[in-house]
Amino acid sequence: MRIETDFLVVGSGMAGLWFAYRISNHGRVLVLTKKDDSESNTNYAQGGIAAALGSDDSPQQHLEDTVKAGYGLCDPQAVQVMVGEGPRLVRELQKLEIEFSTEGGHLELGIEGGHTRHRVAHVADTTGQAVEWGLINAVRSAPNVALYEHHFVIDLLTDESGRCCGVLSFDRESGKFAEIHAKVVMLATGGLCRVYEHTTNPPIATGDGVAMAWRAGAKVADLEFIQFHPTSLFGARIDGRAFLISEAVRGEGGILRTPDGERFMPRYHPDAELAPRSVVARAIYNELRTRRLDYVLLDLSSIPPAHILKRFPMIADTCKRFGLDITREPVPVVPAAHYSVGGVKTDLWGRTSIPCLYTAGECAHTGVHGANRLASNSLLEALVFADRAAQAASKEEARLPSLDKINPFERQLRSIEDPSLLNSLVSSLKQTMWRFAGIVRSAKEMERGRARLAELSRELKALYPARIFSPGIKQLRNTLIVGDLILRSALARKESRGLHYVEEFPDTLPEASHTVLSPKD
Ligand SMILES: Cc1cc2nc3c(=O)[nH]c(=O)nc-3n(C[C@H](O)[C@H](O)[C@H](O)COP(=O)(O)OP(=O)(O)OC[C@H]3O[C@@H](n4cnc5c(N)ncnc54)[C@H](O)[C@@H]3O)c2cc1C
């Protein structure tokens, strides 16, 4: 099957939907998404979206906080763009009938670790869901936009000049492959933390965009920086996902304690519970390891129960389902892989190193987060850079490709059902990444991790040659590529900085530099 469109968007989270919404006046838009339309990291965001909206705040202050949290690696121009354009775009989001929480007629702005002002706009503790549905409604009612669910994008199509001119995808409902040709492709496939055994991310977050872009020849940057969220609910899984206890809970007064009651964060950082996430996650990791604990406790006793229920209704409700009343009991928590700072390298307009291929959101690397993302800056980054990408893409003068010029790779695929044999390979991959590319790393162990991934790739290839396709097999191939890119990037960084801590190189070098990998090197 062949389909033609002007703008092809892969992914229906914040970045993909905002891009589709904005570009819809400039031509036909097709959004492809591999599960239901709302299934995305965006849908699970709790804390909110950061922007300098308060009367005591300014983009300059937001910039300073972001740069401080980024350990010398933020791209100042990119941060300037994000904090400068953010407030206007958040106000535009409000117009989409997304009902942000208010207080006395004004936005109720939360505070989270590393922010020196109240600047996190939120919809109670289900911001992501509200934003996701607001955007889906906007896109579904926009002229020119079609959204196809359950379309798994397999690979990018490039022409003989190397320009991206579409994708090869698989319609899970009809069981048919489709070649979709477009003038511009926007890759908005989100995160990759499902490569880890413990993660807050839903099953869609398998790094497909990074793997596809890599196969097509794009550069990737800073993939060693994985943010481990300090507080996910111990012993609870939903769809394989660790349930997140938002940082906003610490923002409202939650205190971290060991099970015997000691408040330990002041020993690690002057900002205690509101220290940067990398510091809090490593502190918890250290307490767990040295005291042989299974979890630490998040004590909410200083927050009035009525406020807990008003500000965190979903968290309270979900914990209750796991038998925990958070208005009366402390919450047992452990860290989990949460966010990928690195991704496909872009400029300030979402352009990648491949002509006509744009990217935004969690699968992109804009440089705004440096070596550590500040809480609630990722929805903002997705919004701002998807918006800029739409402005730039609307000016592309590309024409639809002629069919014979398209690289015909993978046209001979044969599809099968996801084999159950895959589960053990997927588990091995996740355990390998958790063990060898986790919160505290060692160069020697990371080499072992790479060798183990190479072994798993060989096993997969022996079981299923390249022309055999199922979404599960392809996702595993993608996660193996992404896992290896994380380890390669981590090995290339001979220092510890922000989210990346390696035992052999505990110090931070005076000069900060990005880790850029290219498939052509
Ligand atoms: C539990 C949780 C809480 C969070 N809380 C916050 C918060 O409070 N504030 C904040 O700023 N950030 C938060 N984040 C991070 C933030 O939600 C994400 O970084 C952001 O939503 C990413 O948006 P995105 O559009 O890039 O990707 P996503 O929202 O993940 O969307 C990716 C889309 O791509 C689709 N896709 C992927 N691969 C394919 C493929 N091969 N073919 C077709 N479609 C594909 C997916 O199905 C999905 O629709 C949180 C993340 C999690 C997991």
Side-chain angles (χ1 to χ4, degrees), residues 10-16 32-35 37 39-49 132 151-153 188-191 200-202 204 208 212 244 338-339 360-363 373 376-380 382:
V10 188
S12 58
M14 168 70 108
L32 301 180
T33 193
K34 69 178 172 181
K35 289 274 174 81
D37 52 8
E39 193 54 9
S40 58
N41 272 2
T42 300
N43 198 38
Y44 296 96
Q46 296 178 352
I49 179 164
E132 181 70 29
H151 268 256
F152 183 96
V153 174
T189 52
T200 61
N201 286 195
I204 54 100
D208 298 356
M212 272 185 248
L244 181 77
H338 184 58
Y339 180 79
E362 196 168 335
C363 77
R373 174 184 72 118
S376 291
N377 265 356
S378 46
L379 285 175
L380 185 68

Side-chain angles (χ1 to χ4, degrees), residues 157-159 163-167 180-183 185 355-356 400-401 406:
L157 300 173
T158 48
D159 70 11
R163 170 169 87 90
C164 181
C165 50
V167 302
I180 305 178
H181 300 160
K183 293 177 184 169
V185 175
C356 296
L400 278 168
I406 293 180

Side-chain angles (χ1 to χ4, degrees), residues 214 217-221 345 353 485 488 515-521:
W214 178 258
K219 290 181 181 164
V220 296
K345 193 170 164 14
S353 54
L485 289 172
R488 273 179 66 184
T515 309
V516 180
L517 301 181
S518 164
K520 290 167 188 149
D521 291 342

